[in-house]
Amino acid sequence: MTYYLRYHDRRSSFLVIVLTFLFSTQLIAGITGKISGQVTDAKTSEVLVGANVIVTGTNLGGIVDLEGYYTILNVPPGVYEVQFRFIGYRTFVMKQVQVTSDNTTKINASMQEDIVTAQEVVVTADKPVVQVNLTSTVATVSDQDIKMLPVQELQDIVNLQAGVVDGHFRGGRAGEVQYQVNGVSINNAYDNTKTVNIDRSIIQEVQVITGTFDAEYGQAMSGVVNTVLKSGNDQFEWNAEVYGGDFLYGSGGKRGLTYDAHPFSTQSFQATVSGPTGIPQTYFLFNGRHYVFDDYLYGTRTFKPIWTPKKDSLGGIVGYDSLSDGNEVALGYKREWSGLGKITNKSLEGIEISYQAIYNYSEGVNTDIAWLLNPDGRKKQKTESYIHGIDITHVLSPSTYYTVSIHENFFDYKDRVYDDFYDARYEQAGSPNSLPNSNIIMRGVDFGRFRQRTDTYIGKVSLMSQVSRDHQLKIGAEFQYSDLQFGTSGTLVYLTEGGVTKLIRYVDLPPDYPGIQFYKPISGAGYIHDLVEWNDLTIRAGVRFEYFDARSTIPSDLANPANAIGGAPVSRPQATSVKTSLAPRLGVSYPITTTAGIFFSYGHFYQLPPLRDMFSNSNYDKLARIQAASSNYGVLGNPDVKPERTVQYEFGYKNALSDVLGFSINLFYKDIRDLLGVEFISTYNDAQYTRMTNVDFGNVSGCTISLTQRRVGIVSSSLDYTWQSAQGNSSDPAETARLAEAKQDARPKQIPLNWDQRHTLNASMQLSEPNDYSVSTIVRYGSGLPYTPAIGSGFGSQSETNSGRKPIGLTVDLRGEKSFTLSGMQMSAFLRVFNLFNTTYFNGDVFPTTGSPDYSVNYVGDRLQLVNPLRYFPPRRIEIGIALSPSVSVQ
């Protein structure tokens, strides 16, 4: 209880600091768009000064200036109707105007003079097949696009974009992407992954930036994913969706499984309700989802984790009761609960205040064939995470507004069998015991225990001003504080004392049994960005300043870091230095015709390594017993490393080949420096250890070709192809240390990185009739990723690292939907099929002696993996569901 009160006192004190900081600084990423254009007389082409421009159904609008132009800022992404009104002229109405985040939608109006009638001129806007004013590669996916695709969560959408290979953006390492919701980061500083999962039902729009990006975005080297969530309005609305499914495949085959149906091994229940709260101009949106997933591989409760002794009449042990109930159990499963709550108030003149909270809770286990007969001995993974905060937007004038955001991102992950470290069942079960000559566990429980908790507070403010018709200026700053905890939440080991073996518990006893580590780094940033739209030329230029303070220490003398060498100079804790960086960004786009344009972009991008790698073993306790000429101490952390750096270049050409067909080609190059790697350090007693530092490097070059076909009749389609070469000296920070430990060549050299997929092809096609039916399919092709071949087994058997290529892969996903009206409700029945053709291989594991997933030269050594179906791609999965919503909105 004492700790709890102290913790929350610190939290309250910090909030006061954040609030003080916020009202003296400025930043937020672009989550709204802009509508601009010119209004003229249809006959004379004279400008109509003073004409009114209204975004129907909102309080947004503008007035035409002396030169005939208008600008409407702060427009949320979506599809709108825009009206142009002027006395003596027919009202001009433009429908289906698509507005996207951080982009300008240009709508010009030629109004017809008409003094007598009140007729309207109605025009439907067509979404351009290419956007010639973009200065880098940006894919914008709207909620309507998402609805038609066989995807469920945000990551499914991201992985469909050109240049993305299993979360790697254009050849970068994992964790080099900034994930944001409504312009605020949701990354977990521990490993730079997103804190929460986001279901498609609450997404209004997703922007995936795989090229260079503006100065307002930081802590990313490879890309940005900015998700804008839905909000409530003055119309009461609701919708619900439920679906269930199962894997469907034939018995036998390469996986060697006997098929057994498990109806509803996948289940999802989702509902959303939104509308007015009853308080003036205050709206709400609530969403909830429950998701159930059982993996396709099942085990049997053959053995109990705890074997009960059988005793004779004299109390002697004559055997053990080891058999369990024999029930079938999914070897991997997940149970997830998630939700969104959002309240928006617009009652104050020019001010919008919103509070938003996203919550995730999941529990499950990772699929592992070793627990096939003893599934109750597995570790269970539990994750609780939420992001919540308040956002305030204040419109100072038609050309200027600012936004203030205060958010908390919380993530708590536990990986263990029993929550209580002192649970007596650890002694009763014992550590895992395998069957003879097998890795199949028949008794015991997993002794591993891990905890990772991150509590991050973010304060941001931005100021946006259309300082002139040609210049839009944005300035801002950001402050972030993280309370980071991670490590082993207790170690269990067997020790023999006096001839008796006992299970001993260590909570925190370094150097052998370290516990949870605690760190509280801070970071900040400021930027200025100018968007120039002069005639047909678009220029996006800016610069970003960032700083980071690890608020930690390192040894002053690395040759005696733990003061374990007698007679050597004493090493003392030395404070880490504050790291700063300055990152310029520039993008230029110029239409060479009305339907074609070229663009160029360049930028410096900095990012801190994952705090996990910086802080793991960074107190050097492991070296407390360092011995002369020894070297096996693992890789030690280093909280004093510099930010990693990437310099990106991109050049592109876009052309609308016709009214319905668009073409684009992008060339890109990335020079990557100061990546986290390892250095070898010698001590005064001739021992050696490795620690993290900025030594790794790489480069990526490639091109992307895209074709987009707008809907013609019932058919629409898209195709993108990416060729890239991703080279570097190592694929992860510890790779060099592993090579050295295995007595292999650890000298730095350029080799293909693990995710160097040279050829990637994504194709989609949709057949649809609005409000009636739709059928869509996604085809993904990927050439083989690198692997390291081996000749036989044992020392010296490996060839050059990543010198081989795995087989190619092809998968197809399908979605079909039929809509109809029933009892005043809009209902749609849908079918989704993942891995339609039951592909068994798509860039998974291969045997190093053959380069094939099917067979190995080393049959004896690989016999257990040869019977493991998990080495193959998951089989076909089918989901069937129903979505409901009212046929018309009701007040």
Side-chain angles (χ1 to χ4, degrees):
M1 179 63 71
T2 302
Y3 172 80
Y4 178 87
L5 292 174
R6 289 176 180 170
Y7 171 76
H8 281 271
D9 286 344
R10 290 197 299 269
R11 174 181 290 190
S12 301
S13 300
F14 175 72
L15 285 176
V16 173
I17 296 172
V18 170
L19 287 169
T20 304
F21 174 86
L22 279 172
F23 288 101
S24 62
T25 57
Q26 335 217 19
L27 180 148
I28 195 167
I31 62 171
T32 59
K34 179 173 72 173
I35 301 175
S36 67
Q38 189 176 38
V39 183
T40 58
D41 185 292
K43 289 184 179 180
T44 65
S45 297
E46 294 181 356
V47 298
L48 301 181
V49 179
N52 289 306
V53 187
I54 301 169
V55 181
T56 306
T58 74
N59 58 359
L60 300 171
I63 299 176
V64 176
D65 64 18
L66 294 175
E67 296 179 323
Y69 292 94
Y70 72 93
T71 298
I72 305 173
L73 299 177
N74 200 29
V75 184
V79 179
Y80 296 94
E81 176 185 282
V82 181
Q83 295 186 6
F84 299 82
R85 297 176 180 175
F86 195 59
I87 297 174
Y89 286 79
R90 293 183 181 181
T91 299
F92 184 93
V93 180
M94 182 69 76
K95 294 188 173 183
Q96 297 296 309
V97 176
Q98 179 80 50
V99 177
T100 59
S101 300
D102 224 16
N103 286 317
T104 300
T105 300
K106 292 191 175 181
I107 302 294
N108 296 325
S110 295
M111 301 184 69
Q112 299 177 10
E113 190 173 5
D114 192 340
I115 300 175
V116 180
T117 70
Q119 292 181 335
E120 295 180 342
V121 177
V122 179
V123 178
T124 301
D126 287 326
K127 182 180 178 181
V129 289
V130 294
Q131 290 184 281
V132 295
N133 63 333
L134 295 180
T135 60
S136 66
T137 303
V138 182
T140 301
V141 188
S142 70
D143 60 335
Q144 292 302 312
D145 297 329
I146 295 169
K147 182 180 178 182
M148 299 296 179
L149 294 172
V151 296
Q152 187 61 45
E153 294 185 349
L154 174 62
Q155 199 59 48
D156 301 330
I157 301 166
V158 172
N159 285 334
L160 291 177
Q161 309 310 314
V164 179
V165 178
D166 194 24
H168 296 270
F169 280 42
R170 288 189 173 178
R173 284 180 174 177
E176 293 184 357
V177 179
Q178 175 69 214
Y179 285 88
Q180 300 193 339
V181 167
N182 291 350
V184 180
S185 173
I186 61 169
N187 277 27
N188 181 356
Y190 171 75
D191 57 5
N192 283 341
T193 60
K194 63 182 186 300
T195 303
V196 293
N197 294 324
I198 300 176
D199 185 67
R200 66 174 194 159
S201 61
I202 60 175
I203 296 176
Q204 178 67 37
E205 178 185 270
V206 176
Q207 273 196 341
V208 182
I209 308 175
T210 53
T212 59
F213 39 90
D214 293 341
E216 61 184 306
Y217 299 107
Q219 284 304 307
M221 295 199 301
S222 291
V224 175
V225 177
N226 191 15
T227 305
V228 180
L229 303 185
K230 294 179 178 178
S231 299
N233 53 43
D234 58 1
Q235 299 291 319
F236 180 79
E237 299 175 347
W238 65 270
N239 65 75
E241 179 186 85
V242 58
Y243 67 82
D246 189 16
F247 292 92
L248 181 63
Y249 55 93
S251 297
K254 292 183 177 181
R255 297 186 186 92
L257 298 174
T258 299
Y259 178 71
D260 186 14
H262 297 86
F264 307 110
S265 60
T266 299
Q267 301 173 41
S268 176
F269 307 88
Q270 178 273 134
T272 303
V273 60
S274 64
T277 61
I279 303 172
Q281 298 189 57
T282 303
Y283 316 106
F284 73 91
L285 184 147
F286 295 114
N287 169 274
R289 181 179 184 235
H290 177 50
Y291 177 66
V292 174
F293 173 77
D294 288 340
D295 209 350
Y296 68 93
L297 188 60
Y298 283 75
T300 304
R301 284 195 176 105
T302 303
F303 298 109
K304 299 176 182 177
I306 302 172
W307 289 12
T308 307
K310 293 180 180 179
K311 297 182 179 181
D312 59 20
S313 58
L314 299 178
I317 298 176
V318 295
Y320 290 91
D321 180 13
S322 63
L323 299 181
S324 189
D325 55 23
N327 289 338
E328 191 178 50
V329 178
L331 285 186
Y333 68 84
K334 184 176 184 181
R335 306 290 183 263
E336 182 175 346
W337 293 261
S338 61
L340 164 69
K342 187 172 185 179
I343 301 290
T344 304
N345 178 275
K346 301 179 181 180
S347 60
L348 300 176
E349 182 69 25
I351 297 178
E352 178 180 310
I353 303 174
S354 67
Y355 173 80
Q356 174 179 282
I358 303 175
Y359 179 79
N360 276 180
Y361 176 81
S362 69
E363 59 182 49
V365 296
N366 297 321
T367 307
D368 187 348
I369 197 172
W371 298 94
L372 184 71
L373 303 179
N374 178 19
D376 294 331
R378 300 168 292 177
K379 289 190 298 182
K380 299 173 180 62
Q381 294 79 45
K382 296 181 180 179
T383 302
E384 181 181 18
S385 61
Y386 57 81
I387 59 174
H388 72 116
I390 187 169
D391 302 288
I392 303 172
T393 299
H394 185 193
V395 178
L396 301 175
S397 72
S399 61
T400 304
Y401 68 92
Y402 68 88
T403 302
V404 179
S405 296
I406 306 172
H407 282 244
E408 179 187 15
N409 296 350
F410 178 83
F411 183 89
D412 189 13
Y413 172 78
K414 301 171 184 175
D415 185 16
R416 55 210 186 190
V417 179
Y418 305 120
D419 288 337
D420 185 1
F421 180 47
Y422 295 95
D423 196 309
R425 287 174 290 182
Y426 278 121
E427 278 94 351
Q428 296 167 6
S431 58
N433 238 313
S434 300
L435 292 170
N437 300 316
S438 171
N439 66 345
I440 303 300
I441 298 166
M442 64 177 181
R443 180 183 180 179
V445 298
D446 195 322
F447 275 8
R449 296 177 60 86
F450 181 78
R451 174 82 180 273
Q452 193 275 302
R453 181 180 181 276
T454 307
D455 201 1
T456 298
Y457 299 89
I458 302 173
K460 307 178 75 170
V461 186
S462 71
L463 175 67
M464 168 84 80
S465 181
Q466 191 74 35
V467 294
S468 70
R469 180 165 60 86
D470 301 327
H471 286 266
Q472 178 180 285
L473 192 65
K474 186 184 293 187
I475 60 176
E478 172 183 3
F479 179 80
Q480 181 169 307
Y481 164 90
S482 295
D483 182 354
L484 177 67
Q485 307 175 19
F486 69 94
T488 303
S489 57
T491 305
L492 299 116
V493 295
Y494 283 108
L495 293 180
T496 302
E497 298 177 355
V500 179
T501 300
K502 296 181 180 179
L503 183 62
I504 308 298
R505 290 172 167 84
Y506 295 105
V507 176
D508 187 12
L509 186 64
D512 298 317
Y513 311 112
I516 302 290
Q517 302 177 52
F518 301 84
Y519 298 95
K520 297 182 179 181
I522 60 174
S523 62
Y527 74 86
I528 182 168
H529 173 75
D530 187 21
L531 170 61
V532 180
E533 295 174 303
W534 180 66
N535 293 332
D536 293 327
L537 180 67
T538 301
I539 301 175
R540 306 178 77 101
V543 63
R544 182 180 181 88
F545 170 80
E546 294 184 334
Y547 84 91
F548 173 74
D549 186 355
R551 301 208 296 173
S552 186
T553 61
I554 58 172
S556 60
D557 190 343
L558 294 177
N560 186 23
N563 291 319
I565 303 173
V570 176
S571 180
R572 294 179 174 84
Q574 176 179 294
T576 54
S577 61
V578 173
K579 306 300 186 299
T580 60
S581 58
L582 198 64
R585 319 274 171 86
L586 175 66
V588 180
S589 173
Y590 182 73
I592 52 181
T593 70
T594 57
T595 59
I598 57 174
F599 70 86
F600 167 78
S601 59
Y602 158 84
H604 288 241
F605 305 91
Y606 292 86
Q607 182 180 13
L608 286 164
L611 298 186
R612 166 198 62 199
D613 297 332
M614 293 173 57
F615 288 124
S616 289
N617 300 313
S618 63
N619 53 19
Y620 295 79
D621 286 339
K622 279 194 169 187
L623 304 182
R625 301 191 188 107
I626 195 166
Q627 298 177 4
S630 61
S631 62
N632 188 17
Y633 298 99
V635 179
L636 304 186
N638 180 6
D640 206 31
V641 296
K642 300 182 296 184
E644 300 172 327
R645 174 172 58 93
T646 293
V647 181
Q648 291 194 49
Y649 306 83
E650 184 174 16
F651 175 81
Y653 169 75
K654 299 181 178 182
N655 191 359
L657 302 177
S658 70
D659 292 340
V660 297
L661 185 63
F663 166 81
S664 67
I665 180 169
N666 306 323
L667 308 177
F668 58 87
Y669 177 77
K670 298 166 65 173
D671 183 35
I672 309 168
R673 298 290 182 224
D674 294 330
L675 287 176
L676 210 59
V678 298
E679 63 179 340
F680 297 85
I681 297 177
S682 297
T683 64
Y684 289 117
N685 62 351
D686 199 30
Q688 190 178 70
Y689 65 93
T690 57
R691 76 162 189 165
M692 293 291 182
T693 192
N694 301 97
V695 294
D696 282 0
F697 56 88
N699 63 74
V700 182
S701 58
C703 72
T704 299
I705 301 173
S706 300
L707 285 171
T708 303
Q709 179 245 315
R710 183 193 291 156
R711 192 167 177 266
V712 177
I714 63 170
V715 181
S716 60
S717 62
S718 67
L719 176 71
D720 65 70
Y721 164 77
T722 302
W723 179 92
Q724 75 175 20
S725 172
Q727 306 274 320
N729 70 304
S730 68
S731 297
D732 70 77
E735 183 175 306
T736 303
R738 289 196 300 269
L739 290 173
E741 187 176 341
K743 309 301 181 184
Q744 298 176 21
D745 186 1
R747 292 174 296 181
K749 53 185 176 295
Q750 289 275 66
I751 58 174
L753 300 174
N754 289 347
W755 51 89
D756 179 34
Q757 186 165 282
R758 293 296 169 88
H759 307 281
T760 306
L761 184 71
N762 295 318
S764 66
M765 177 176 288
Q766 185 180 118
L767 308 176
S768 63
E769 191 65 52
N771 301 317
D772 189 2
Y773 67 87
S774 69
V775 178
S776 62
T777 184
I778 294 174
V779 180
R780 291 180 294 162
Y781 164 87
S783 61
L785 295 176
Y787 79 99
T788 302
I791 303 171
S793 60
F795 179 77
S797 64
Q798 282 193 322
S799 302
E800 186 72 17
T801 302
N802 281 351
S803 58
R805 287 281 168 177
K806 299 178 182 179
I808 63 171
L810 179 74
T811 64
V812 179
D813 298 335
L814 179 71
R815 185 183 193 278
E817 181 176 16
K818 173 62 179 176
S819 300
F820 49 91
T821 301
L822 181 66
S823 300
M825 289 191 301
Q826 186 71 26
M827 181 179 294
S828 62
F830 61 88
L831 168 74
R832 291 191 299 212
V833 185
F834 301 94
N835 193 7
L836 177 65
F837 298 112
N838 198 30
T839 297
T840 56
Y841 183 79
F842 192 85
N843 268 326
D845 295 331
V846 297
F847 293 102
T849 55
T850 63
S852 168
D854 301 326
Y855 63 97
S856 169
V857 170
N858 182 20
Y859 176 80
V860 175
D862 293 330
R863 66 185 184 280
L864 298 177
Q865 183 64 6
L866 283 166
V867 298
N868 185 357
L870 295 174
R871 73 184 190 274
Y872 290 111
F873 195 71
R876 181 190 302 112
R877 188 171 91 246
I878 296 178
E879 296 172 351
I880 300 174
I882 295 177
L884 299 172
S885 62
S887 58
V888 293
S889 297
V890 294
Q891 293 278 36

